Amino acid sequence: MEAAGARTRAAARRRDRRLRAPATLKEQRDPQPGVRLPQRRTEEDQEEAVFREVVSFTPDPLPVRYYDKDTTKPISFYLSSLEELLAWTPDVEDSFNVALGPPECRQPPLSSRRPRTLMCHDMMGGYLDDKFIQGSAAQSPYSFYHWQYIDIFVYFSHHTVTIPPVGWTNAAHRHGVCVLGTFITEWKEGERLCEAFLAGDERSYRAVAHQLVLMAQFFRFDGWLINIENSLSLAAVGNMPHFLRYLTTQLHQQVPRGLVLWYDSVVSSGQLTWQDELNEHNRVFFDSCDGFFTNYNWREEHLERMLGQAGERLADVYVGVDVFARGNVVGGRFDTDKSLELIRKHGFSAALFAPGWVYECLEKGDFFQNQDKFWSLLERYLPTHSICSLPFVTSFCLGMGTRRVCYGQEEAVGPWYHLSAQEIQPLFGEHRLEGDGRGWVKMHCCLADAWNGGSSLVIRGLIPPEVGNVAVRLFSLQVPVPPKIFLSMVYKLEGPSAVGVALELTTGDAGSCHVGGISALSAETSSRRSPRPLRVPPTKLAKWVGRCGQQLSGGWVQRCYEVNLRGCLLQALFVNFSRPPGSQEEENFICRLGEIQVVDANSLLTPLPQVQAVTVSQVRWQPAASEGESGATGLRLSCTLHWAYLLPPVRCFRIHCCRGSGGDSPCREPSEPERPTLLGLAFVNRYRIVDLAVAASEPGRDGRVEFLVEPIPKEGFLVPRAEWGRAAMLYSTPRT
């Protein structure tokens, strides 16, 4: 992130070309001539599966590994023994815990020789509120959002096989960060476990490696940290390099960009002796896998000695830093920068262990300020990585909030926490203008208001009299730009400020980069450049421009632009703040950003997939805890929805319900259709509904509840209800 005045920006970026979106509004819907339009569907055309149930209070039990025993909510899980690991096979229940996809494209790639930053998340034993796959109502959960500084995320616990909770994997992958689980053995039980699979022939250790690879492949995380914290017999330690080499080779074949890292613990003699460095006693393990994570009690002389041991693989040595500062360490806590300074001085990668210290040990009410302070102190030693794919859409949601908002409309009030719902986060920080330092810009996340999700990005700043504007870099990008892109920004100014707000983008100063022009889009006019105007624009395009140029609810404003480029590389996204015409004074401003979108125009011309084959299973009934207002006894319904949908085009699914009675759909009543109730978000083709309150059926009349599955495309807009999936359940009480 950076702030700069007009003159200093020009000097700093002579090789960049910055494009500023215009302030005027004029719609340019420009679909390509000859594009075949998708057929418009209506709700009446859509098929609806109907399931019948007789209410029974004796449900089949759900497997406790996959569901919380108290609520039946799906949970992420771990394995505690070698027997469990070898017995595991992918099951339909496991699909809740599968990540949406692999890590997003990033630059530089993880395979580059640039020193990397690894974050090892170890918090109070693990599997806390983050274990609830569909989210929870946690009041003050831990949240991490400085992803642009991180290359590798390790989920750590002291269970034998730590499978990363899928929320962490989805959040990390969205930022191009790879995710590792942990395979750990400890104490006497660890010795017995290692003897069982390492002291025999190759079939035993290969069977363990196959299971670890299968888990990473199935759950879509990216590899393993191997942490052997117990002594090994000579036979076991002799086979350890073979196990590591086989695991690494198999993982590379099955998981693109997969990683296996070794923790500095056991040495080649089999003794448990932490070395705090890579040396001749543990080099054999480093040579057998992708990287080495050192213990934490090192000094600079350890780093100097490692230069010769690592050779050309400096970036594969991750020097451990315990943020809790336990033991004889160089730095930690708010002095962690002292460790980072030495690590980077010698060209090594860094492994930050338990940076959740800011949450565990400091005041929860100051968590966001403390977290921002911690990472800002490290910023100079943490090279960022760039996003390199479209569409690029973010509402700055942290995956938590005090209420739920959907495009400016409040849907629910109350705390919520859902890691998979975290959107792409910007480059946080505070920066001042060069020179006298009077101008400044600072940005931070804020739960007080949101456009979509639970939070927004607040940018505060001051424009001094001697400059006309300041700009703040939100995102670093390396995106080959298609011929036409659409840009959108949703924002609002807080207080009386009248500063101008505009999106800016930079392109590389390549000779082949040609800017054909920038036009504004709005939903208010109908002029098009196309020589063959379409009678009805494609659904996705019409939805995308539907709010452009309009004053929206809650004081939000959306600006949309079309940019024509050829042969360009998009390098950064900025927001520019300019002083009002005629102003000569200092200008303070507070701007709240709700959403930014960069979309390939062609992607808005493709038809929308439809959610199909919605089914209802694993039904559980319970009597309501208390009678309703009318005195009638109610019911609580839990069940699992499943549907068919191609995942790559989707951002998530929103799950709704309508409750009624009889054979008519309460969501389709022509006179007064019921507004669907949002139940939650899904990031796979399954959702577990838990304790939904429904009315008991009347004698001779079925009760009815209808479930709706709404896909949210990656481009970020609401799709017509005709494209949603539907299933209805008719239920009755047994005859006595």
Side-chain angles (χ1 to χ4, degrees):
M1 182 186 135
E2 61 195 78
R7 290 191 300 273
T8 57
R9 281 205 318 279
R13 294 186 182 76
R14 292 190 182 96
R15 295 181 55 81
D16 286 352
R17 178 177 300 171
R18 179 174 294 184
L19 309 176
R20 183 178 303 175
T24 59
L25 289 172
K26 173 185 173 188
E27 181 184 31
Q28 292 291 336
R29 291 182 190 155
D30 189 14
Q32 294 179 346
V35 172
R36 187 173 63 185
L37 298 181
Q39 293 294 315
R40 288 220 161 176
R41 306 176 73 253
T42 65
E43 290 188 66
E44 288 74 18
D45 296 332
Q46 191 178 25
E47 294 182 3
E48 179 182 72
V50 178
F51 298 83
R52 290 190 172 272
E53 278 283 328
V54 176
V55 175
S56 169
F57 299 132
T58 56
D60 294 331
L62 295 169
V64 293
R65 173 187 288 175
Y66 305 105
Y67 298 93
D68 181 63
K69 61 183 178 61
D70 297 321
T71 66
T72 77
K73 292 180 178 179
I75 55 174
S76 296
F77 66 94
Y78 53 84
L79 302 178
S80 298
S81 68
L82 183 64
E83 291 74 22
E84 281 187 283
L85 172 62
L86 294 174
W88 179 83
T89 56
D91 185 270
V92 65
E93 310 294 351
D94 286 303
S95 59
F96 277 112
N97 211 37
V98 174
L100 194 55
E104 291 291 337
C105 171
R106 50 162 288 172
Q107 288 292 337
L110 199 62
S111 58
S112 74
R113 294 292 88 193
R114 187 182 79 170
R116 309 175 193 114
T117 304
L118 179 152
M119 172 180 166
C120 191
H121 177 64
D122 174 37
M123 182 170 287
M124 297 181 282
Y127 300 96
L128 305 173
D129 292 305
D130 55 4
K131 75 179 179 181
F132 292 101
I133 295 172
Q134 295 175 178
S136 72
Q139 292 271 359
S140 301
Y142 173 71
S143 175
F144 177 74
Y145 46 88
H146 291 85
W147 291 105
Q148 303 303 337
Y149 297 133
I150 299 300
D151 301 295
I152 301 167
F153 176 89
V154 178
Y155 194 84
F156 183 89
S157 82
H158 290 276
H159 303 291
T160 303
V161 180
T162 298
I163 303 167
V166 67
W168 283 110
T169 306
N170 281 333
H173 281 183
R174 198 167 286 127
H175 293 85
V177 174
C178 81
V179 176
L180 307 185
T182 305
F183 178 72
I184 187 172
T185 63
E186 300 176 282
W187 315 109
K188 289 296 183 182
E189 179 57 33
E191 290 182 24
R192 289 191 289 270
L193 189 153
C194 290
E195 193 72 13
F197 85 94
L198 285 171
D201 60 25
E202 67 178 19
R203 289 176 297 179
S204 296
Y205 68 73
R206 286 191 171 193
V208 171
H210 277 299
Q211 289 297 92
L212 294 177
V213 171
L214 179 61
M215 280 190 161
Q217 182 184 22
F218 181 82
F219 292 118
R220 293 181 181 163
F221 61 94
D222 307 293
W224 296 95
L225 171 67
I226 306 299
N227 187 4
I228 306 299
E229 302 228 30
N230 49 258
S231 298
L232 297 176
S233 68
L234 288 178
V237 77
N239 272 334
M240 181 59 80
H242 301 299
F243 165 67
L244 287 175
R245 197 171 294 114
Y246 186 77
L247 171 63
T248 303
T249 300
Q250 294 299 309
L251 186 76
H252 290 176
Q253 291 176 2
Q254 301 299 327
V255 179
R257 301 180 295 279
L259 285 176
V260 175
L261 304 183
W262 171 264
Y263 179 67
D264 167 20
S265 52
V266 171
V267 294
S268 56
S269 66
Q271 293 179 300
L272 176 62
T273 309
W274 296 271
Q275 300 293 292
D276 303 304
E277 64 177 314
L278 173 67
N279 58 29
E280 67 276 10
H281 301 297
N282 51 35
R283 173 68 186 268
V284 64
F285 308 119
F286 175 59
D287 291 339
S288 303
C289 64
D290 295 306
F292 185 89
F293 184 148
T294 78
N295 195 46
Y296 312 106
N297 297 304
W298 50 266
R299 287 290 182 266
E300 188 169 10
E301 52 264 32
H302 292 86
L303 305 183
E304 292 168 347
R305 287 197 297 264
M306 283 198 297
L307 292 172
Q309 289 287 340
E312 296 181 354
R313 294 183 63 192
L314 287 179
D316 294 336
V317 177
Y318 299 83
V319 180
V321 179
D322 182 2
V323 176
F324 276 74
R326 292 164 288 202
N328 186 21
V329 299
V330 171
R333 305 178 182 177
F334 286 127
D335 289 324
T336 299
D337 58 313
K338 295 178 181 178
S339 301
L340 266 290
E341 182 180 11
L342 291 177
I343 293 168
R344 298 308 196 207
K345 172 184 173 182
H346 294 282
F348 292 111
S349 293
L352 300 175
F353 184 79
W357 166 80
V358 297
Y359 177 85
E360 288 193 58
C361 297
L362 304 180
E363 288 293 329
K364 299 291 190 295
D366 299 327
F367 166 65
F368 290 108
Q369 296 93 318
N370 288 327
Q371 172 135 290
D372 290 344
K373 174 184 176 181
F374 176 83
W375 290 98
S376 69
L377 291 170
L378 307 183
E379 180 181 355
R380 76 181 88 169
Y381 305 114
L382 302 178
T384 61
H385 59 268
S386 301
I387 297 161
C388 62
S389 60
L390 296 181
F392 173 78
V393 178
T394 180
S395 66
F396 306 99
C397 179
L398 293 175
M400 60 182 292
T402 58
R403 59 189 187 125
R404 288 183 183 269
V405 180
C406 180
Y407 300 104
Q409 300 294 321
E410 185 175 86
E411 291 188 310
V413 177
W416 64 276
Y417 175 60
H418 196 328
L419 274 170
S420 289
Q422 187 181 92
E423 299 280 337
I424 299 174
Q425 298 299 308
L427 298 165
F428 291 95
E430 178 177 1
H431 292 267
R432 295 186 175 274
L433 296 181
E434 297 176 7
D436 62 11
R438 291 175 61 197
W440 56 271
V441 180
K442 179 180 181 179
M443 59 182 181
H444 60 88
C445 53
C446 181
L447 303 178
D449 200 357
W451 164 250
N452 189 33
S455 57
S456 55
L457 182 70
V458 171
I459 305 177
R460 302 171 184 268
L462 182 145
I463 307 173
E466 62 271 17
V467 300
N469 56 73
V470 296
V472 57
R473 181 166 66 114
L474 298 178
F475 298 99
S476 174
L477 307 171
Q478 288 290 318
V479 180
V481 184
K484 182 183 297 181
I485 59 175
F486 291 146
L487 305 175
S488 167
M489 175 174 62
V490 177
Y491 72 96
K492 63 179 172 182
L493 290 168
E494 306 278 339
S497 176
V499 299
V501 184
L503 264 183
E504 291 186 356
L505 53 89
T506 60
T507 62
D509 191 14
S512 61
C513 180
H514 174 73
V515 181
I518 306 177
S519 305
L521 298 170
S522 79
E524 297 156 348
T525 61
S526 59
S527 60
R528 301 187 181 94
R529 284 198 210 157
S530 172
R532 298 171 58 189
L534 298 174
R535 295 179 183 176
V536 181
T539 304
K540 291 169 81 173
L541 179 59
K543 285 287 180 182
W544 197 87
V545 302
R547 297 184 302 265
C548 292
Q550 296 186 1
Q551 188 76 29
L552 306 171
S553 60
W556 297 97
V557 176
Q558 183 168 15
R559 299 284 185 256
C560 307
Y561 310 99
E562 172 192 317
V563 183
N564 293 283
L565 301 165
R566 187 170 69 247
C568 300
L569 187 71
L570 183 59
Q571 292 185 320
L573 274 179
F574 291 75
V575 176
N576 183 282
F577 300 94
S578 56
R579 62 173 58 258
S583 168
Q584 302 296 325
E585 305 296 325
E586 287 186 350
E587 289 289 341
N588 289 281
F589 62 87
I590 302 175
C591 179
R592 188 179 297 275
L593 291 186
E595 186 176 66
I596 287 193
Q597 298 169 288
V598 184
V599 178
D600 180 355
N602 281 335
S603 73
L604 296 178
L605 302 177
T606 57
L608 285 166
Q610 179 197 353
V611 176
Q612 297 179 328
V614 182
T615 62
V616 182
S617 61
Q618 296 176 314
V619 177
R620 168 176 133 168
W621 296 97
Q622 289 183 292
S626 59
E627 294 184 348
E629 294 181 4
S630 64
T633 302
L635 300 169
R636 287 186 293 151
L637 166 65
S638 299
C639 61
T640 299
L641 303 183
H642 181 270
W643 57 91
Y645 195 89
L646 191 64
L647 286 179
V650 79
R651 190 178 182 184
C652 67
F653 300 94
R654 288 160 47 87
I655 313 302
H656 310 263
C657 78
C658 294
R659 286 160 282 203
S661 61
D664 297 328
S665 166
C667 289
R668 296 183 181 179
E669 289 290 339
S671 56
E672 294 184 8
E674 178 186 338
R675 181 179 177 182
T677 300
L678 178 68
L679 299 178
L681 303 179
F683 293 83
V684 290
N685 291 354
R686 294 171 69 84
Y687 186 81
R688 178 71 182 169
I689 294 166
V690 177
D691 289 343
L692 177 66
V694 297
S697 60
E698 301 173 6
R701 186 172 175 83
D702 290 334
R704 180 184 178 106
V705 59
E706 186 172 350
F707 302 112
L708 301 97
V709 180
E710 175 190 8
I712 303 297
K714 282 188 174 180
E715 294 87 357
F717 54 83
L718 298 178
V719 305
R721 200 180 290 183
E723 307 298 336
W724 300 10
R726 294 173 177 272
M729 177 187 290
L730 301 180
Y731 57 93
S732 59
T733 53
R735 295 179 179 178
T736 56

